[in-house]
Amino acid sequence: MPKKAVPVVAAFVRDVSGRILLARRPPGKARAGLWEFPGGKVKPEETPEEALKRELQEELGVSAEVGQKLASVTHDYPEVTIELSLYEALIKGPVVPQEGQEVAWFKPRELFDLELCPADRKLLKILETCI
Ligand SMILES: Nc1nc2c([nH]c(=O)n2[C@@H]2O[C@H](COP(=O)(O)OP(=O)(O)OP(=O)(O)O)[C@@H](O)[C@H]2O)c(=O)[nH]1
């Protein structure tokens, strides 16, 4: 039986100079130390947009407007299968990491040299011609 994929939403946020916001997974979590787009799991009662707004508020202390879905991939990790969807998002106010996690802004070409979560590598492959 194929495993049921857990829905995960993530944000593609750019600053005025075109750099992209990433967060580093904190120690103790699966894939600790790897970079990812900010976001998290969608709860059963939420739409993807609601989940992403909640995650950005909880993780980065910002409110956000969620735009169009850019890409979506399925990935099997040893402990979970995820369906990861990346949405454009506009954030309001300064990013203040709420969980002690490292965050940073990267130029598009710098993303390709980062240690990313494996699912994000797949996303990047889809997006590489348009970022
Ligand atoms: N947020 C986020 N998660 C990602 C990305 N790429 C990726 O493989 N994941 C995986 O998707 C899952 C999301 O879990 P999470 O830990 O961020 O979500 P959460 O905060 O809602 O859940 P938790 O309370 O169980 O920790 C993890 O297995 C994580 O490794 C990404 O770009 N952003």
Side-chain angles (χ1 to χ4, degrees):
M1 273 268 282
K3 281 184 260 172
K4 195 170 165 6
V6 171
V8 176
V9 285
F12 187 80
V13 180
R14 305 188 89 136
D15 69 8
V16 285
S17 66
R19 292 177 310 165
I20 298 156
L21 181 64
L22 293 187
R24 201 166 197 182
R25 290 188 67 78
K29 284 202 162 192
R31 289 163 282 292
L34 299 185
W35 291 91
E36 66 178 12
F37 295 101
K41 294 178 191 131
V42 181
K43 294 183 177 168
E45 70 278 11
E46 290 177 323
T47 65
E49 289 81 4
E50 287 167 348
L52 193 49
K53 285 184 177 195
R54 174 184 53 73
E55 289 284 354
L56 293 174
Q57 189 70 61
E58 284 174 6
E59 290 182 4
L60 306 175
V62 293
S63 60
E65 275 175 38
V66 176
Q68 63 167 330
K69 192 200 281 195
L70 296 175
S72 158
V73 297
T74 302
H75 191 82
D76 283 315
Y77 288 118
E79 81 291 5
V80 67
T81 296
I82 61 164
E83 185 181 359
L84 173 64
S85 299
L86 185 69
Y87 287 82
E88 271 185 344
L90 269 181
I91 58 171
K92 289 167 217 148
V95 171
V96 182
Q98 306 290 303
E99 298 166 352
Q101 76 279 36
E102 194 180 339
V103 298
W105 297 89
F106 294 97
K107 292 180 188 148
R109 67 179 133 80
E110 293 175 328
L111 259 47
F112 296 89
D113 297 326
L114 282 178
E115 289 198 61
L116 291 172
C117 286
D120 298 64
R121 278 239 155 260
K122 290 186 185 171
L123 278 181
L124 213 51
K125 187 101 193 96
I126 296 173
L127 296 173
E128 69 186 334
T129 54
C130 56
I131 60 172

